[in-house]
Amino acid sequence: MVELPPTVITEIFRVLNGEGSLQFAIDDEARGHGCIALMGTIGCIWGLRPDGSLWQFDADFQLPLSRLLPELTLLALIAGSQRYAWLAPLVPARPDGSIDCPVCPGPTNPSLPVFCACCLGLGWVASQ
């Protein structure tokens, strides 16, 4: 569960009501579960509800609605912030003293997100 600021809750409800939403199949399926789609890939869609709960599902691959594993929360929020800029406040800001990710270039192309095992797509890691 993620604590959402009121502005993000308002935006989620706007998307659920069809205002300012993306128009892909994953978005339609997510709305059917009361979620916005944060990420979709073959076999899995991740969604966020206005109460801050995170879910996974995929009708095409018979993945039933279930809670997203807690260890995937940050990755889901990063993915979602690449789809919806107003989710960016949920992603940690780069702290002073952090270093560029030694593995990837970070989120250089939002239309082709990079989900690095080292930095999760943030583009930075805490210095040792």
Side-chain angles (χ1 to χ4, degrees):
M1 192 86 109
V2 178
E3 188 169 332
L4 302 176
T7 55
V8 169
I9 295 169
T10 298
E11 290 298 326
I12 293 172
F13 277 118
R14 281 179 20 101
V15 171
L16 292 176
N17 289 326
E19 303 169 33
S21 64
L22 301 170
Q23 299 297 320
F24 297 99
I26 65 169
D27 300 301
D28 294 336
E29 186 172 346
R31 268 192 295 281
H33 292 295
C35 300
I36 61 167
L38 301 177
M39 186 278 313
T41 189
I42 295 173
C44 189
I45 300 169
W46 293 346
L48 174 65
R49 287 184 174 162
D51 66 0
S53 60
L54 292 155
W55 299 87
Q56 64 180 2
F57 45 88
D58 192 308
D60 292 339
F61 286 80
Q62 291 80 45
L63 178 64
L65 179 68
S66 61
R67 291 248 182 201
L68 189 66
L69 295 172
E71 56 266 26
L72 296 175
T73 297
L74 180 57
L75 186 57
L77 295 175
I78 292 167
S81 71
Q82 292 176 354
R83 296 194 84 220
Y84 297 103
W86 42 263
L87 288 175
L90 303 178
V91 176
R94 184 175 181 152
D96 292 338
S98 63
I99 59 171
D100 289 344
C101 179
V103 176
C104 80
T108 57
N109 183 351
S111 66
L112 184 63
V114 175
F115 299 114
C116 171
C118 182
C119 72
L120 301 180
L122 290 170
W124 55 266
V125 294
S127 62
Q128 309 310 37

